[in-house]
Amino acid sequence: MKKAAILTGGGDSSGINDFIRSAVLLLASQDLEVVGVKQGYLGLLEEAYRPLTPDTVNSLVGTGGSMLLTSRTNPSKVAGGYERILDNLEKEKIEVLICVGGNDTLSVAGKLSELGVQVIGVPQTIDNDLPYTDYCIGFHTAVANIAASVRMIISSNISHQKEMVVEVMGRDSGFLALRSAIALGADYLAIPEFSLDMEKLCTMLLSNRAKGNKSSLMMVSEGVKASGANLLSDEVDVFGNIKLGGIGYHIAEQVDKKIGAKPRTEVLGYIPRGGMADPYDSFLSVLFARGVAENIKSNTFGVMVGIDAQTTKNVALSLAVSSIRVVQEKEYRNFFTC
Ligand code: F6P
């Protein structure tokens, strides 16, 4: 009986468990034995596994987080890391490795593929910044969580006539902020792809104030760079990503300095990553699981399963991690002028 392993790496999000469930049910029906690797690549280094059977995964529908746990372990930062992984895969007789995650997790998957492992990647990140797929697991839930959280605060902003800056994650891509800002009818959007123009922002606020709207909503992505803001933290993860956060407070202070009245600031942090999966993420996870099962049947490895107009498609892992997807100017200008 062929044996496949599933691991989840990087930042978690909702929809991962739906993928695990669906993949286990499908692969079991193809007579494959499935094992879960605990805590991403750490589990492969330390031989931490758990069996996955239809019984163990059946109740996972819609649940948040990763039932396999996750970590940001980078095998290239561990002495002999890749050799240990290759030995352990052989020892455990794992023939197919399914890696669920974002750019970092899939870069390691690509390296393992180059080393001869039969790997299939599955895109999962709230940042939605992987190229060659319209969506990644977790993105829709994150947008829904942001919209629900901000809607809870908006009534208070209106009652108190307070402007508000909302900061959300997304690293170097503004998709999460863009989609949420559209859904919330935000008055201003700042994303890392375009430079922040404080003058335009303040002009917009003054114009809204003059029209009687004193509760403008400004959506900001954590990766936005602002002149004069020294927000770069010393915290860097094992993949070299700098810990982001705090630009929202800086913008609120600048608004106060330039035109008075400091906006409220909400940094949503990890809220978008948790809770029950949005039904679209559950649907996407099922589609990706079917793509993975098809690939195993046809011996197609070294690819990431993506989605293109509701149909799954494969892209070489090396291409999938060759760049990050960012918001194009047209996409932004369609909705926001400043
Ligand atoms: O990559 C997903 C993400 O949520 C980014 O948007 C964010 O910058 C980062 O993870 C936060 O990482 P951590 O979970 O290590 O704090």
Side-chain angles (χ1 to χ4, degrees), residues 47-336:
E47 301 175 77
Y49 313 108
R50 58 174 291 182
L52 293 175
T53 58
D55 278 354
T56 56
V57 297
N58 216 2
S59 59
L60 289 176
V61 187
T63 56
S66 168
M67 61 92 73
L68 292 174
L69 313 180
T70 182
S71 73
R72 294 196 187 271
T73 305
N74 184 351
S76 61
K77 292 285 159 63
V78 178
Y82 281 105
E83 290 75 15
R84 244 162 82 190
I85 288 181
L86 294 182
D87 286 349
N88 290 341
L89 287 171
E90 204 179 312
K91 204 157 130 196
E92 194 62 21
K93 297 190 171 50
I94 293 168
E95 287 166 77
V96 176
L97 181 63
I98 301 157
C99 302
V100 184
N103 211 276
D104 298 330
T105 304
L106 298 190
S107 303
V108 175
K111 173 83 183 153
L112 287 170
S113 165
E114 279 167 32
L115 294 172
V117 180
Q118 301 195 124
V119 183
I120 301 170
V122 177
Q124 177 279 127
T125 165
I126 62 165
D127 302 348
N128 208 41
D129 61 347
L130 281 160
Y132 305 101
T133 182
D134 291 345
Y135 293 114
C136 302
I137 295 172
F139 174 69
H140 284 87
T141 306
V143 172
N145 288 349
I146 292 168
S149 309
V150 175
R151 281 175 185 150
M152 281 188 207
I153 313 168
I154 277 179
S155 54
S156 172
N157 293 344
I158 295 169
S159 305
H160 288 261
Q161 296 286 275
K162 288 279 186 190
E163 291 155 348
M164 184 169 75
V165 178
V166 175
E167 178 184 315
V168 297
M169 286 184 173
R171 229 187 263 294
D172 298 317
S173 294
F175 291 107
L176 194 55
L178 171 68
R179 187 62 72 88
S180 315
I182 296 167
L184 286 160
D187 300 276
Y188 184 85
L189 169 69
I191 54 176
E193 288 87 342
F194 309 108
S195 51
L196 172 68
D197 188 334
M198 277 308 296
E199 293 305 318
K200 274 193 178 167
L201 168 56
C202 290
T203 307
M204 178 280 293
L205 288 176
L206 288 174
S207 149
N208 277 3
R209 287 178 193 179
K211 285 184 265 179
N213 172 4
K214 296 194 173 70
S215 52
S216 295
L217 176 64
M218 293 154 273
M219 185 67 70
V220 179
S221 188
E222 62 175 0
V224 165
K225 318 239 171 352
S227 59
N230 187 15
L231 299 167
L232 289 189
S233 103
D234 298 336
E235 230 182 291
V236 179
D237 71 19
V238 284
F239 285 93
N241 304 305
I242 296 176
K243 179 98 189 140
L244 298 168
I247 183 68
Y249 294 110
H250 173 81
I251 292 176
E253 269 156 29
Q254 290 304 303
V255 168
D256 192 19
K257 259 195 208 148
K258 286 181 190 295
I259 56 170
K262 192 172 177 177
R264 289 173 167 179
T265 306
E266 286 290 339
V267 178
L268 293 186
Y270 295 96
I271 289 174
R273 294 221 308 229
M276 294 297 284
D278 178 270
Y280 186 82
D281 273 324
S282 300
F283 163 73
L284 191 60
S285 298
V286 172
L287 283 192
F288 285 162
R290 290 167 74 117
V292 166
E294 281 303 317
N295 283 337
I296 295 177
K297 249 193 219 161
S298 62
N299 282 314
T300 307
F301 301 109
V303 295
M304 176 187 86
V305 181
I307 182 159
D308 181 9
Q310 312 297 343
T311 310
T312 55
K313 63 166 187 192
N314 291 326
V315 55
L317 268 168
S318 53
L319 264 184
V321 296
S322 61
S323 60
I324 64 159
R325 202 159 73 97
V326 294
V327 176
Q328 299 303 306
E329 182 147 14
K330 192 167 166 272
E331 256 176 307
Y332 174 79
R333 300 267 174 240
N334 270 345
F335 299 96
F336 294 92

Side-chain angles (χ1 to χ4, degrees), residues 3-76:
K3 191 169 180 178
I6 304 178
L7 69 78
T8 62
D12 70 331
S13 73
S14 300
I16 295 175
N17 287 341
D18 285 281
F19 171 80
I20 296 171
R21 174 184 185 271
S22 203
V24 170
L25 296 182
L26 281 166
L27 298 183
S29 74
Q30 281 175 213
D31 257 351
L32 263 96
E33 183 185 345
V34 191
V35 68
V37 181
K38 292 183 189 169
Q39 284 189 280
Y41 295 109
L42 185 64
L44 273 189
L45 288 163
E46 297 188 344
E47 301 175 77
Y49 313 108
R50 58 174 291 182
L52 293 175
T53 58
D55 278 354
T56 56
V57 297
N58 216 2
S59 59
L60 289 176
V61 187
T63 56
S66 168
M67 61 92 73
L68 292 174
L69 313 180
T70 182
S71 73
R72 294 196 187 271
T73 305
N74 184 351
S76 61

